[in-house]
Structure formats: structure tokens, C-alpha cells
Amino acid sequence: AVLFAAVAALFVLYFIGNKPTNSNGNQVAASDAVASAVAYVEMDSVLLNFDMFSDKSEELMAKQTAAENQLNAQGNTYQRNALDYQDKVNKGLVTRAQATEMEQALYQQQQEILALSDQLQAELLEEESVMNNQIMEYVSTYLEENKDIYNYQYILAKSFGGVVLYGDEAHDITQSVIEGLNKKYS
């Protein structure tokens, strides 16, 4: 839908929009006016070189490590309990009723670990989604606040496998955007 709207806007600008005149008083082709009004940034480069993305990625990695440590601790406890159960059953130190209770407790502990794993994974996915939204909001706000500097009407995000397959390097404002974002962020 967004791509369709952008194509429709370019179509309107090309065929219907007011055609600017050059210094000789002749009309300049609308495609020239549109081309100068469109810029793009390589989003992969922006993300890799934007300090905010690095900081937030490090925070997310720290949370992931903490979650893994919590899960590993519970897994180690379960493993010790399972070995203890097996040892007691093999040596005949517990009755069948006690063994059944221990099995049920181990099963419950296993289910709790699986639930914890699912919960932690969902939390990390949500954190990553929020992080990505925060980064994109920051970039969009920066571009909106500085549109006079870049002098564009539209700015496209170009990334590998995205909908923008080619962009003339003359309209690539990636490096300037990265520098501006990092300056604002610091």
C-alpha cells in the first residue's frame, strides 16, 4: 500500500504537477524535478553505523545473556534432581509411591522450564521489536526535523532484498544521515 502510494505520487508529479522552468524560461522535464526531490538511505549501513543501534543491541544482548543464564540455572537444577531420582530408584532407596511423586515433581519442573523458556523468548522478541521501532522512529523524526538540510520531498529506505532495487548514488544521503544521527544521539 505504501509502495502504491509512492508510485501514485510520483505519477501525479510527473504527469500533472507544475513543471518548473529553467533559466531560459523553458519548462524543465518533470522527471528532473521529481528526481531531485527523491533521496534514499542504505538502511543496513545506517543501522550498522548508528550509535543508538549499537547501544540498544548491546542492551538486548545483555538481556539475552541474563535469560540464558536463568534458563541454564533452572536446567542444571532439573538435571541434578533427575540424577538424584535415578540414583535413589536404582539403589532401591525409595518406594514406588515416592518414586511416582518424584517423577511427577520432575515432570512439573520440566514443564516450568519449558514455560520459562517460551516466556523469555517472547520477551526478547518483544524487546527486539520495540528496539527496532525506536530506532526507526528516531531516524524518521531526525529526517523530518532536518528535511530542509537534505531538501527532499521523499526519502526511501534501501536495503538488500527490499523494494528499492536501484538508486542513483547522487541521491544517496546515507553517510550524511549517519553523521547527523550520531551527532544528535550523542
Side-chain angles (χ1 to χ4, degrees), residues 92-122:
L93 301 176
V94 293
T95 65
R96 286 183 192 231
Q98 290 172 322
T100 301
E101 285 179 22
M102 291 174 79
E103 286 174 8
Q104 289 174 348
L106 283 172
Y107 177 77
Q108 180 64 35
Q109 189 177 16
Q110 183 183 41
Q111 294 307 307
E112 289 170 1
I113 291 170
L114 291 174
L116 177 64
S117 175
D118 290 344
Q119 174 194 348
L120 293 174
Q121 185 176 12

Side-chain angles (χ1 to χ4, degrees), residues 76-139:
N76 290 339
T77 300
Y78 171 79
Q79 213 170 22
R80 281 193 305 273
N81 291 342
L83 289 173
D84 183 54
Y85 160 79
Q86 193 174 30
D87 185 51
K88 287 179 180 179
V89 168
N90 287 343
K91 291 181 179 177
L93 301 176
V94 293
T95 65
R96 286 183 192 231
Q98 290 172 322
T100 301
E101 285 179 22
M102 291 174 79
E103 286 174 8
Q104 289 174 348
L106 283 172
Y107 177 77
Q108 180 64 35
Q109 189 177 16
Q110 183 183 41
Q111 294 307 307
E112 289 170 1
I113 291 170
L114 291 174
L116 177 64
S117 175
D118 290 344
Q119 174 194 348
L120 293 174
Q121 185 176 12
E123 288 174 5
L124 287 172
L125 286 173
E126 182 181 16
E127 292 264 350
E128 182 179 24
S129 177
V130 167
M131 177 191 83
N132 289 333
N133 290 339
Q134 289 172 338
I135 301 277
M136 291 308 295
E137 175 65 22
Y138 196 92
V139 171

